[in-house]
């Protein structure tokens, strides 16, 4: 087994509970490891720190998978199975499947001690992502699929498992495309579409469409909290959902408000949002969708003195690196400043950031700065994060990425 010797700073980071080793952390490599292989990690004094999965391409050169050095491949696969079983049990406790909710994250990579492995459930479909050279391998794939089948369909319940690569990660890790077809299907005709429920609302799911695994399940409880706050505010006339994607916040607000507008730059996303609206005929709000750039539309609305009782801002990650954080804060400030100018007195602002490079403190500070510039008094009602099926690990700050602030604006 190859050995990676890392800097003292990197060793301290691992000892504090982190799992990543960056390429800049490497001091020496005795033998160039094979892409995706297991390697033993040592500090500058050659003290063994554990076993990691090596990547020849990523800036993250290795991901620690065990504090045991010189771990065999067989033991690693056994650990994966045990950890998948533990992750599924945690979801049974934190996000049980029922008539109101049958979609959640099953496996959350480092947060479940499964670096490079994600899985999301949408009713009877499970979407798997293997995100590193060390996990996008047949033995890992077979181990995860077997554990998911046993945990989710022990008695032959309807289940289809698909692998869906993240194109950006696949390019970064230099990974081949997975083989076509499902990883597992309980029937001879594998399902590629389904319907799932979040907070009692119905949504459609298509394996071949959408971003990442297809929907943003991390906002599940935030959708409900936003609707509850708007209801309690008494200001339920007109709502605006900016970067609506498939209509998550918009449809929840359509339970409360008389008129809801969802905005997104993607026509395809809005078509799905409209299909989701049709799945919920009980929603009586006047609902419309606008294909537009968020910055341009909010600027135009601001100029036209448009007014709303509730505004949701849920943009994609502005900061995908530390270098981009400063520019991201400027973008967040502009969006929030425009929104604050357009909110009616007593209205609700639901503002989000999914950039883990932007801290909660910085994000909250930028909203405060926007409030001062807009001349609005903003009361922070709730500070929220991802739903608990996306657990945070205190020693892994990257697992705390989603910030959701629910505010009352005077």
């Amino acid at each position: 087994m190859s050995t990676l010797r890392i800097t003292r700073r990197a060793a301290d980071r691992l000892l504090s509970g982190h799992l990543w080793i960056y390429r800049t952390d490497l001091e020496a490599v005795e033998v160039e490891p094979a892409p995706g292989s297991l390697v033993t990690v040592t500090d500058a004094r050659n003290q063994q720190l554990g076993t990691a999965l090596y990547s020849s391409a990523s800036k993250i050169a290795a991901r620690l998978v065990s504090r045991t050095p010189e771990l065999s491949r067989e033991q690693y696969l056994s650990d994966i199975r045990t950890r998948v079983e533990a992750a599924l049990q945690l979801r049974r406790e934190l996000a049980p499947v029922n008539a109101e909710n049958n979609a959640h994250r099953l496996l959350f990579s480092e947060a479940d001690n499964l670096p490079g492995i994600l899985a999301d459930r949408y009713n009877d479909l499970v979407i798997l992502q293997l995100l590193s050279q060390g996990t996008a391998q047949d033995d890992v794939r077979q181990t995860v699929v077997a554990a998911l089948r046993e945990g989710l369909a022990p008695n032959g319940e309807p289940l289809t498992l698909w692998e869906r690569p993240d194109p950006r990660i696949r390019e970064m890790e230099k990974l081949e495309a997975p083989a076509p077809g499902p990883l597992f299907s309980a029937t001879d005709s594998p399902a590629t579409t389904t319907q799932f429920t979040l907070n009692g609302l119905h949504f459609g799911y298509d394996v071949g469409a959408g971003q990442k695994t297809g929907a943003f399940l991390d906002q599940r409880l935030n959708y409900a909290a936003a609707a509850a706050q708007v209801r309690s505010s008494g200001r339920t006339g007109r709502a605006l959902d900016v970067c609506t994607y498939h209509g998550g916040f918009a449809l929840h607000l359509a339970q409360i408000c008389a008129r809801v507008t969802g905005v997104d730059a993607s026509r395809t996303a809005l078509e799905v949002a409209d299909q989701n609206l049709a799945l919920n005929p009980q929603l009586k709000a006047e609902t419309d969708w606008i294909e537009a750039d968020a910055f341009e539309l909010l600027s135009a609305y601001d100029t036209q003195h448009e007014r709303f009782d509730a505004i949701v801002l849920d943009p994609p990650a502005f900061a995908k690196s530390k270098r981009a954080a400063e520019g991201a804060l400027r973008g967040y400030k502009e969006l929030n400043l425009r929104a604050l100018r357009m909110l009616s007195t007593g209205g609700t602002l639901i503002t989000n950031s999914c950039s883990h490079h932007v801290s909660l403190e910085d994000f909250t500070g930028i909203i405060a700065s926007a409030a001062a510039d807009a001349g609005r008094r903003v009361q922070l009602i709730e500070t929220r994060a991802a739903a608990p099926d996306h657990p945070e690990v205190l020693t892994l700050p990257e697992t705390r990425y989603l910030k959701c602030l629910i505010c009352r604006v005077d």
Side-chain angles (χ1 to χ4, degrees):
M1 179 179 290
S2 298
T3 298
L4 296 183
R5 192 162 76 239
I6 61 175
T7 64
R8 179 176 178 178
R9 180 179 179 183
D12 289 344
R13 189 167 62 246
L14 293 188
L15 292 171
S16 72
H18 210 281
L19 300 178
W20 290 357
I21 300 166
Y22 298 97
R23 198 155 300 279
T24 54
D25 293 331
L26 302 183
E27 279 200 342
V29 180
E30 292 180 1
V31 178
E32 180 66 23
S37 63
L38 291 167
V39 296
T40 293
V41 180
T42 70
D43 63 15
R45 298 172 297 173
N46 290 321
Q47 294 293 314
Q48 294 180 327
L49 302 174
T51 301
L53 287 173
Y54 180 73
S55 171
S56 62
S58 173
K59 291 181 180 179
I60 302 173
R63 298 168 187 254
L64 200 72
V65 294
S66 177
R67 302 286 169 178
T68 302
E70 300 181 1
L71 193 75
S72 69
R73 190 78 185 176
E74 292 73 19
Q75 185 58 54
Y76 169 56
L77 296 175
S78 176
D79 287 349
I80 286 178
R81 190 177 189 90
T82 300
R83 293 168 187 178
V84 170
E85 291 168 354
L88 296 183
Q89 179 57 34
L90 183 65
R91 273 52 180 195
R92 295 184 192 106
E93 298 168 8
L94 297 179
V97 171
N98 53 45
E100 296 291 302
N101 290 284
N102 61 7
H104 50 235
R105 174 146 290 179
L106 297 170
L107 309 176
F108 191 24
S109 196
E110 282 81 2
D112 285 307
N113 211 9
L114 290 163
I117 303 174
L118 288 177
D120 283 344
R121 176 179 188 159
Y122 302 95
N123 192 7
D124 54 348
L125 292 183
V126 171
I127 310 303
L128 177 65
Q129 288 191 320
L130 301 175
L131 300 171
S132 70
Q133 291 179 349
T135 56
Q137 299 194 22
D138 286 341
D139 57 356
V140 173
R141 188 175 287 111
Q142 292 165 8
T143 300
V144 174
V145 169
L148 289 173
R149 285 179 58 184
E150 286 187 19
L152 300 176
N155 301 308
E157 292 87 347
L159 181 70
T160 305
L161 272 147
W162 293 89
E163 183 175 353
R164 180 171 176 171
D166 183 313
R168 185 179 68 88
I169 299 294
R170 194 175 76 188
E171 180 180 357
M172 185 169 61
E173 288 275 343
K174 294 183 168 52
L175 299 174
E176 297 294 328
L183 297 172
F184 168 77
S185 176
T187 67
D188 294 333
S189 301
T192 59
T193 62
T194 193
Q195 289 184 22
F196 65 95
T197 57
L198 291 179
N199 307 316
L201 293 177
H202 301 289
F203 295 82
Y205 181 77
D206 185 334
V207 169
Q211 303 174 29
K212 299 185 179 179
T213 68
F216 292 116
L217 302 177
D218 49 4
Q219 291 279 26
R220 174 172 54 92
L221 299 184
N222 298 337
Y223 293 151
Q229 174 56 32
V230 173
R231 178 190 286 113
S232 66
S233 76
R235 304 304 302 261
T236 58
R238 188 181 181 194
L240 178 68
D241 180 12
V242 180
C243 302
T244 188
Y245 189 49
H246 289 171
F249 278 106
L251 296 187
H252 281 77
L253 293 179
Q255 300 173 109
I256 309 301
C257 298
R259 180 181 175 189
V260 177
T261 298
V263 179
D264 205 280
S266 168
R267 177 182 294 273
T268 302
L270 293 177
E271 289 171 352
V272 175
D274 197 47
Q275 293 165 13
N276 289 336
L277 176 63
L279 294 175
N280 295 277
Q282 76 278 15
L283 301 178
K284 303 304 181 184
E286 178 186 344
T287 306
D288 61 314
W289 312 105
I290 298 177
E291 180 186 354
D293 174 85
F295 290 94
E296 293 176 1
L297 185 71
L298 288 182
S299 177
Y301 276 177
D302 189 15
T303 301
Q304 296 161 12
H305 303 292
E306 298 280 353
R307 290 292 178 267
F308 298 89
D309 293 311
I311 297 179
V312 177
L313 302 175
D314 191 18
F318 286 160
K320 294 186 177 180
S321 67
K322 288 184 178 180
R323 293 180 182 177
E326 185 176 343
L329 291 174
R330 289 195 296 271
Y332 286 126
K333 181 170 181 179
E334 180 178 345
L335 284 181
N336 283 276
L337 178 60
R338 301 283 187 187
L340 288 168
R341 286 174 176 165
M342 295 186 295
L343 276 162
S344 59
T345 300
T348 305
L349 173 68
I350 304 103
T351 183
N352 301 270
S353 166
C354 59
S355 302
H356 81 77
H357 293 291
V358 174
S359 69
L360 175 61
E361 180 181 5
D362 287 343
F363 185 58
T364 305
I366 213 69
I367 308 308
S369 177
D373 287 358
R376 305 301 298 269
R377 178 174 176 264
V378 177
Q379 295 171 303
L380 179 60
I381 305 300
E382 288 190 74
T383 299
R384 305 183 60 85
D389 48 304
H390 294 65
E392 299 174 5
V393 178
L394 294 181
T395 55
L396 292 168
E398 290 80 5
T399 61
R400 182 177 181 83
Y401 65 98
L402 180 61
K403 283 78 63 179
C404 175
L405 306 184
I406 299 179
C407 306
R408 184 181 186 277
V409 180
D410 286 334

